Amino acid sequence: MSDDIPFDKTFDLPPGKVEEVAPGIRRLLCNNPGPFTFKGTVSYIVGRGRVAIIDPGPLDEPHIAALLDAVQGETVTHIFVTHTHRDHSPAAARIKAATGAPTLGEGPHRAARPLNVGGDVRPLDSSGDMDFRPDRALADGDVVDGDGWSLEAIATPGHCANHMAYALKGTDILFAGDHVMAWSTPVVAPPDGAMSDYMASLDKLARRAETTYYPGHGGAVRDAPRYVQHFIRHRRAREAAILECLTAGESDIPSLVHDIYVGLDPRLTRAAGLSVLAHLEDLVARGRVKTEGAPAANGRYRLAVG
Ligand SMILES: [Zn+2]
């Protein structure tokens, strides 16, 4: 299903090693590999001397120590967070305590929609960091000026309701968080995620000029606007596959996952089910699919015909 996206899974950075990927941009990998995190979370340091950190990462002591070591002799002036998942934001409090720098992000963790709608959806284990509260809440289009750098906040909900990407003004570089990555599509799963938001956020990035994305996991995305088009086509193809399955008759989410995700890593079955639910929520909202009550993980779905 995902062979249509030209993924790039090369990423050789060892955990703890600081690497300069572009003038004034350093990255550091946390040793938290997994099916959702690839080799681990990538933290970025922007600037020289007076710097910003983007996504301090999870509460991982060696990573926090490596990050503080990387900026030794420098001043951290800002701590940005792309979204409040536990592999991105929890170390912000520790970096703040060590440096005095304020934290910035869209806001505290929240679901994409009220939790009581759509039945009892249990979030994925790797999800919400309920403790993060940014010192400065950012809105779409806000520009934060540092010493020799400016970052523009770009609201990109879909993977997480409070997801922000950050464009480095005056360059072709954008920090994409988990919204667009080179190695995989992100999980778009209720309750944190919403498919309609995700598609709108992809359209938004596809219209922007930045060509190089540095994501929260894995290596850089090149030729980014074209790459984003692949993501858009991929989701449309998955939606078409769901509708195609439903033409054969009423179905439920486990059957749809079984029919659509051929050769799926068993560790990702639950995520795939939530992704199908995200598509179904969107299709029900658009009047293409029907279900009893609100779209639920254990619901039955049929095409809305006539
Ligand atoms: Zn992540």
Side-chain angles (χ1 to χ4, degrees), residues 36-37 83 85 87-88 159 178 217:
F36 301 109
T37 59
H83 64 296
H85 279 164
D87 53 330
H88 293 264
H159 169 68
D178 284 6
H217 305 277

